[in-house]
Every structure is written in structure tokens, then in C-alpha cells.
Amino acid sequence: MNRRTLVTVLLVLGVVALFAVPLIAGGPAEYTGTDNQATTVILQQDPGYRPWFSSVIPPLSPSVESGLFAVQAALGGGVLGYVLGRLRGRRAVRESGSATLPGTEPQ
Amino acid sequence: MHIAEGFLPPAHAIGWTVAAAPFVVHGARAVVREVRENPESTLLLGAAGAFTFVLSAIKLPSVTGSSSHPTGTGAGAILFRPPVMALLGTVVLLFQALLLAHGGLTTLGANAFSMAIVGPWAGYGAYRLTRGLGGGLLPGVFAGMAVADLATYVTTSLQLALAFPDASSGFAGAAAKFLGVFAITQIPLAIGEGLLGVLLFRVLTVNARPELERLGVLKS
């Protein structure tokens, strides 16, 4: 394994470890979203506060909501993968073009 | 950092919308200008937008027992300067407000101000500072990505403290409470986002070297 690959693997492992460790070591924590916790704190600060506008779409069931978040991630991941793939392909074409002059390709 | 729909009093909602609007309009013009003058930038612009799109969709667990999401706005700010992210970040927030019931239209201005304006500028500042002090591209990217993430959540905390000051300890006391919710949870996420940014830029330096040189991120 060359050094560049090793660094890539270590970076990926670092990211995975950052989020796997709290899950494994965290015990019974529920991992409430901070956005929801902030709403709770707002209502502690001002128990009389009532939201004056509600979401344009009706409340979603948790599974539908996580599905929509997955769609968002998939859209972003798809576009990112497409761009990186195109850039990589472009480099491959350029390198093969400059490495072998026309008519001198190895037989 | 998504303040929920209707959870900012009307005066604050309007105030943040008015404050964010010029940045978003300026950002939209920056995107149009970039695409018109450098059509070859379109691919990388797409990558920057897509990166924010993916990262802000993912809720990650943190050591505090809460979960939160990264923002991914640092990458585009480093590549194309922060104004571009004012538009791209706001598009992501609008998508989430309209289709995912996450965040909201009345809080779009405040959320855009933290995630699409303060985050990218703070991250870009950290990137430039690191480079100015002699740091390489990748340390700069790490700092820029992590600071963009953290600064976004600190801004949200301050926005909420302004709107809901503590009865006894005022703005400062409320800020401490909201920072308690957001800031510590966000630290491991910011580090993770920094590492993901380094991974992305390692790929880009190999495969998009001409673009990075033209954008001044790499020396030609």
C-alpha cells in the first residue's frame, strides 16, 4: 500500500471512528437532534411562546421523514460522484493522450 | 442549526430575512458571473453544492448523546469564495424547509444567515489565516471546514438567545444555554467535517488541478 492510499484509509477510518465511538460507548443515549433540543429550551425560556406559523407540509411520520433525508443525501451524493467521476475520467484521457503519441501505441 | 418553523418571533424573523437577503442576492450574482465567465467552473460548483447537500442531510451522533448535522459549506467557500455559498446554502435550506419540514420559511432568513453567510465567511477566514501563517492547502481546508461548521451553530445559539433572553441572566445566560445545546455536540462533527473536506480536496488536487490553479487554491 503506498503512502497516499494509507493516508486516505486513515482519514476514512478517522471519520468512521469519530461517529462510531459515541454510538458504541454511549450506552442508552437517545441522540435527540440538537434542533429539537433547542425548541425545548425555547419553551423553557418562554413557556408562553406559541409558534406563529406552521410548516407548509403536514407533519411527517418519522420513517417518511428519514426517507426524505435519504433522498436528499442520495441526490447530493449522486451529483458529487458524477462530478468526481468526470474529473477523474478527464485526467485519465489527458494522461493517456500525453503518454503515448499518435501512432506509437504499444502493439 | 435549523430553527424550527414559527420559532422566531415575527420581528426577529423579518429582521434576519432582511439581513440575509442582500447576501443571497449578491451570492446569486456571483454564481451567475462565475458560470458565465468560467463555464468550466460549473462542474466544481456542482460539487460544492452537492457536498453541502449531502452533509446537511446526515444527522450524526456525538459524544454528548445528541445528534446534529454538519453543514459542508466550507468547501465551496474555499473554492469560490463565500458569496457563492450564500446562494447554495440557502437553496439547501429552502429545499429542507419546503420538502422535509426541517427549518422553515419564517426562519429561513435566520438559518441562511448562520449556515450560508456566517459559516462560509468564518470558514474562509480560518482557511486564509492558516494559509497566511504558512499552512498548506490541506491544513487550511481542515481549519476552514471545521470553523464553518462550528461558527454556524454558534450563530444559531446567539440568534436564539437574542430572541429568547433569560428572565434573570438576560442575553448572556440564554446564550450559554443555547450554546450548551449546540456547541459541544458540534465539536466532533466539526472535526469529522474537516477530515471529509481534506478527503475531498485530496481528490480534487489530483483530478481538478487546472481548476484549482485558476481559482488560486493551488499555485500553478
Side-chain angles (χ1 to χ4, degrees), chain A residues 4 7-8 18-19 31-35 37 39 42 45 49 51-53 57 68-69 72 76-77 83 90-91, chain B residues 1-2 5-9 50 53-54 56-57 65-69 96 99 102 164 166 177 192 202 206-207 211:
Chain A
R4 189 178 157 80
V7 172
T8 307
L18 260 177
F19 303 110
Y31 297 105
T32 335
T34 48
D35 291 342
Q37 290 177 353
T39 309
I42 290 174
Q45 294 291 95
Y49 188 81
W52 54 281
F53 196 81
I57 57 167
L68 286 170
F69 272 100
Q72 188 194 330
V83 170
R90 191 189 63 178
R91 179 174 66 102
Chain B
M1 44 64 60
H2 297 80
E5 184 77 283
F7 270 90
L8 273 183
F53 220 66
V54 182
S56 62
S66 320
S67 66
S68 193
H69 29 158
Q96 293 184 321
L99 298 177
H102 205 67
F164 300 97
D166 203 74
K177 282 186 192 173
R202 276 163 53 88
V206 174
N207 294 308
E211 282 85 355

Side-chain angles (χ1 to χ4, degrees), chain B residues 4 7 17 22 94 100-101 114 122 153 182:
Chain B
F7 270 90
T17 304
L94 191 62
L100 275 59
S114 61
Y153 281 80
F182 285 119

Side-chain angles (χ1 to χ4, degrees), chain B residues 3 10 16 48 53-54 66-67 70 88 92 109 148 153 159 162 176 187 195 210:
Chain B
I3 303 174
W16 288 114
F53 220 66
V54 182
S66 320
S67 66
L88 298 184
V92 174
Y153 281 80
Q159 288 172 324
L162 266 180
I187 289 172
L195 295 178

